[in-house]
Amino acid sequence: MKESNYSEIYVSNISGRYITYDHIDEFINGLPSTFKIEKVGESVRGESIKSITFGNGPKRILMWSQMHGNESTTTKAVIDLLNYLKRNVAEVSDISNACTLKIIPILNPDGARDYTRVNANKIDLNRDAQDLSQPESRVLRKVYQDFEPYFCFNLHDQRTIFNVGETNKPATVSFLAPAFDKERNNSPSRELSMQLIAAMNNKLQEEIPGQVGRYDDGFNANCVGDAFQMSKTPTILFEAGHYHEDYNREKTRAFIFKALLKGVSTLLNNTILDYSIEQYLSIPENGKQFVDVVIKNDDYISNHLTNSKAVAIQYKEVLNKGKVEFRPELHVFEKEPKELFAHKTLNCNDENDLKWLKENDLLNLQP
């Protein structure tokens, strides 16, 4: 498939971390008649859940984003994908003839509005695949059963804590071919998931070498990806992560868009068998060695600015008047990493760093 100029595809008026249907409805409603837009259900609070269908080919690909309401990067990426599919070019025509894409851009509109992981009933929809206790879970299951997808793309965001393997590179994008049993055996559907991930990783290594990780594959039948894999549908977990100084994740959305397009084109062109399970397994597993800020201070005993040589700080995402603020908090590790990495390192003994710390009130957080 011909390489596209992403700057011409990027939908600039849908940006930032806070994304609800209010932000995307105008774009969705302006799609041409080649896109079928329908209401597929309602949230706990009665907000519409929508799907957009494009193409009429036999290879059916189901995508859903913002199952967790505060994970919006992949929503922006699928908006970019829809914008790409509006183009009157041969590559789009090929997709339309070979594939049918069905996209639920925001599965959890109440959580999106509140900027929370859970829905309005405080339930994590990605732990509700068996009970189907929530209306949003039932919507996704019905769409899945009616559509009978050839492939599923389960689209999420991940925290800034993740690094690739044991390196100091952030996991800007992570993938997972979910397990279908406790032993994490392979099945035909899981192997296809692995091969398609290998194809997308091959593309992303050109863009962000060393910054693609493999998400933990612990089995949980209550997770949607595992449940669909159990139903023999190849399913891929996408995790949009951190890129340098990209807290609004406008750069990461581009990488997710390119991965989505590579995945679709691989299925379109029947080249999935060109990629191997071994290539998937060679992707390093995610580590948890990053924090947002580390404050270093070798003279902490004499200058009393901190009570230790290094202080780890993590941002908490807080919705305030329609915008997400990143508020610093002292970080407590679940498990102390053997080596700590930071997206930003500041030294109390550097005049410019100390000025930045004071201006951003980070010195007030010192233990």
Side-chain angles (χ1 to χ4, degrees):
M1 183 173 285
K2 185 179 178 181
E3 185 71 18
S4 300
N5 184 352
Y6 176 72
S7 65
E8 297 175 359
I9 295 160
Y10 170 66
V11 181
S12 60
N13 63 338
I14 299 174
S15 62
R17 294 292 287 275
Y18 185 53
I19 303 292
T20 69
Y21 274 111
D22 290 349
H23 300 93
I24 67 174
D25 267 343
E26 183 178 355
F27 174 87
I28 291 173
N29 294 333
L31 289 168
S33 59
T34 47
F35 296 80
K36 180 183 178 183
I37 302 156
E38 59 187 322
K39 176 181 173 179
V40 290
E42 292 184 351
S43 68
V44 171
R45 293 182 190 147
E47 186 163 353
S48 294
I49 300 170
K50 301 172 184 178
S51 75
I52 302 115
T53 306
F54 175 83
N56 51 23
K59 295 177 181 176
R60 297 176 301 281
I61 305 169
L62 174 62
M63 309 181 193
W64 63 94
S65 183
Q66 273 180 277
M67 167 176 277
H68 296 142
N70 58 354
E71 299 179 2
S72 59
T73 306
T74 52
T75 301
K76 296 184 291 186
V78 297
I79 292 295
D80 293 338
L81 178 63
L82 291 168
N83 203 37
Y84 170 83
L85 295 171
K86 287 165 55 179
R87 292 153 59 97
N88 184 21
V89 294
E91 292 81 12
V92 171
S93 179
D94 290 343
I95 293 173
S96 179
N97 291 330
C99 304
T100 303
L101 309 184
K102 185 177 283 290
I103 299 171
I104 301 174
I106 302 179
L107 179 65
N108 179 6
D110 298 340
R113 203 163 288 284
D114 296 344
Y115 200 72
T116 60
R117 177 182 175 91
V118 295
N119 75 345
N121 286 333
K122 311 297 183 187
I123 299 297
D124 185 337
L125 301 179
N126 205 25
R127 301 296 183 273
D128 193 38
Q130 299 303 324
D131 293 340
L132 298 176
S133 67
Q134 301 305 301
E136 300 91 346
S137 304
R138 294 191 289 273
V139 166
L140 179 61
R141 180 58 64 93
K142 186 175 189 310
V143 170
Y144 168 79
Q145 291 173 337
D146 291 348
F147 188 56
E148 296 181 336
Y150 178 77
F151 246 95
C152 287
F153 292 175
N154 183 10
L155 306 168
H156 290 261
D157 275 49
Q158 66 183 6
R159 292 173 291 166
T160 59
I161 63 172
F162 293 106
N163 63 301
V164 176
E166 296 183 353
T167 72
N168 65 349
K169 292 192 173 184
T172 301
V173 176
S174 296
F175 293 109
L176 173 66
F180 77 100
D181 63 9
K182 290 181 180 179
E183 290 73 31
R184 295 182 256 188
N185 292 312
N186 285 353
S187 64
S189 69
R190 192 180 191 207
E191 289 179 354
L192 285 171
S193 303
M194 292 176 174
Q195 289 171 284
L196 192 59
I197 289 171
M200 293 186 289
N201 177 58
N202 189 61
K203 170 62 181 174
L204 288 183
Q205 290 302 327
E206 301 171 5
E207 305 273 342
I208 42 172
Q211 290 178 229
V212 178
R214 182 157 50 95
Y215 208 77
D216 176 71
D217 68 346
F219 174 73
N220 185 342
N222 296 312
C223 293
V224 172
D226 304 56
F228 287 175
Q229 203 82 275
M230 291 166 65
S231 298
K232 301 181 180 180
T233 303
T235 302
I236 291 174
L237 174 70
F238 290 66
E239 294 280 355
H242 187 69
Y243 186 82
H244 181 60
E245 296 186 347
D246 182 36
Y247 280 91
N248 280 322
R249 297 195 171 172
E250 296 305 304
K251 293 179 180 176
T252 299
R253 77 187 275 182
F255 304 132
I256 296 293
F257 162 77
K258 292 176 182 182
L260 291 171
L261 193 56
K262 177 64 176 180
V264 171
S265 65
T266 300
L267 296 175
L268 161 71
N269 295 318
N270 296 312
T271 54
I272 190 169
L273 297 181
D274 292 350
Y275 302 91
S276 68
I277 296 165
E278 289 71 27
Q279 286 174 307
Y280 167 78
L281 294 173
S282 71
I283 301 171
E285 292 185 356
N286 283 349
K288 295 180 180 179
Q289 294 177 245
F290 262 105
V291 292
D292 290 312
V293 180
V294 162
I295 302 172
K296 292 188 174 181
N297 181 22
D298 291 336
D299 296 334
Y300 68 103
I301 294 175
S302 60
N303 66 25
H304 305 297
L305 285 172
T306 78
N307 290 327
S308 68
K309 290 185 177 181
V311 177
I313 290 174
Q314 196 72 10
Y315 292 128
K316 180 180 180 180
E317 297 170 23
V318 178
L319 181 64
N320 183 25
K321 297 179 181 178
K323 291 187 177 181
V324 176
E325 297 179 351
F326 299 92
R327 297 180 183 174
E329 294 184 346
L330 292 175
H331 184 65
V332 179
F333 292 96
E334 297 174 10
K335 181 181 179 182
E336 189 82 25
K338 60 182 179 181
E339 186 175 3
L340 180 64
F341 307 127
H343 297 299
K344 192 178 191 71
T345 301
L346 298 156
N347 194 319
C348 287
N349 304 311
D350 181 283
E351 185 176 336
N352 290 327
D353 285 0
L354 187 58
K355 180 181 177 183
W356 190 94
L357 287 165
K358 289 178 178 177
E359 288 175 348
N360 290 274
D361 291 328
L362 265 69
L363 288 175
N364 296 331
L365 299 174
Q366 308 313 308

